[in-house]
Amino acid sequence: MKKELGNLLELQDIDLRIRKLNDEIAKGYGDLDERQGVIDARREEAADLAERLEVVEKEKSDVEHELEEETIRLKTRQTKLMNVQTNREYQSLLKEIEGTKADNKRREEEILRYTEIAEAMVAKIEELNNTSDAEESILAEEKSKVEDLAKDLEKQKAEIDKARSTKANKVKGPIYKRYEQLRERRNGIAIVGVTEGVCQGCFMNIPAQQFNEVLRGDELHTCPTCQRMMFHQPAEEQE
Ligand SMILES: [Zn+2]
């Protein structure tokens, strides 16, 4: 039974190392995804802004067009003014001219405002895109680093996997099956030490009688609380 326990502990140690490598690989890719997500969101913001810019440009060009037409009309009226016969006609034409002039002034101001808004939008879009470009090139470097690291970790894993199957073959079938079930259900820890009557997996006391049997180490015991397999671990051996 001592040998069986030793094999199980070594197997668990191997499995924990494999899990750590898997976690490291997943974390590397997870970080990349997260950063890509931030860049994508910024690109989307720039695209939305570009759409709104188009609307502003269209509105501005409409007003510009109006201004152009009204300026031509104004000139026509001003020419007409020199040829009117009656004072009443003159006054009414003059009023029209003044009205158009005021409208055109308002149009000019509007165009100026649209120009300012559009310029601010263009600057913001450029800023967003520049930031995204810079981050993307940094991310590309990071990505190749993560890929290299992952390759390296995968190589390490392949080595450990070999050691694992050798070790797994040394564990008896039913015990191996139980080990695998517990490993899945108990977050990778299927076999734990018992120190001074306390299970180091769930930190609950085990019955005194059972503890004595664990001390003898004749057979494999499981914790009544967390069901993990147990071995005796004297206090001084605790990590
Ligand atoms: Zn326990």
Side-chain angles (χ1 to χ4, degrees), residues 45-200:
E45 194 188 338
D48 284 350
L49 210 50
E51 258 176 54
R52 273 158 55 204
L53 174 64
E54 251 177 66
V55 175
V56 170
E57 298 278 24
K58 169 80 174 62
E59 280 166 2
K60 181 185 161 187
S61 115
D62 285 349
V63 181
E64 278 172 340
H65 202 68
E66 257 178 49
L67 179 64
E68 234 171 86
E69 283 179 347
E70 290 302 317
T71 307
I72 293 167
R73 269 198 199 160
L74 191 65
K75 274 183 192 149
T76 314
R77 283 184 191 132
Q78 278 166 334
T79 314
K80 241 168 133 187
L81 193 65
M82 288 181 265
N83 303 314
V84 287
Q85 305 296 322
T86 68
N87 189 42
R88 213 177 61 148
E89 231 184 305
Y90 182 86
Q91 288 305 331
S92 111
L93 202 50
L94 197 61
K95 209 176 149 195
E96 265 180 52
I97 287 170
E98 291 312 315
T100 307
K101 272 185 181 172
D103 284 346
N104 280 354
K105 193 168 185 302
R106 181 188 47 76
R107 288 187 181 103
E108 276 165 6
E109 281 163 4
E110 223 171 309
I111 289 166
L112 205 66
R113 215 173 50 240
Y114 279 132
T115 305
E116 278 169 6
I117 293 170
E119 274 171 5
M121 282 172 138
V122 168
K124 184 70 187 165
I125 290 167
E126 202 182 293
E127 185 201 312
L128 288 169
N129 283 333
N130 285 345
T131 309
S132 300
D133 288 348
E135 281 185 354
E136 223 146 53
S137 81
I138 294 169
L139 195 63
E141 277 174 41
E142 292 287 320
K143 197 177 169 194
S144 86
K145 270 188 216 161
V146 168
E147 277 165 357
D148 286 348
L149 181 70
K151 245 184 256 167
D152 189 45
L153 294 175
E154 289 290 354
K155 222 186 276 170
Q156 287 180 43
K157 233 177 78 181
E159 288 295 315
I160 299 174
D161 276 340
K162 258 187 259 168
R164 188 197 193 270
S165 47
T166 312
K167 195 52 74 183
N169 284 334
K170 288 184 182 162
V171 179
K172 280 189 200 123
I175 295 180
Y176 180 74
K177 206 176 147 195
R178 211 156 97 205
Y179 167 80
E180 283 292 76
Q181 283 171 347
L182 281 166
R183 193 160 75 91
E184 200 177 306
R185 287 205 303 255
R186 295 283 179 259
N187 195 27
I189 310 289
I191 174 159
V192 286
V194 178
T195 304
E196 288 165 356
V198 177
C199 164
Q200 297 304 301

Side-chain angles (χ1 to χ4, degrees), residues 192 199-204 206 223-228 230:
V192 286
C199 164
Q200 297 304 301
C202 63
F203 299 100
M204 297 298 282
I206 63 165
C223 169
T225 308
C226 69
Q227 277 83 46
R228 289 183 177 103
M230 302 185 289

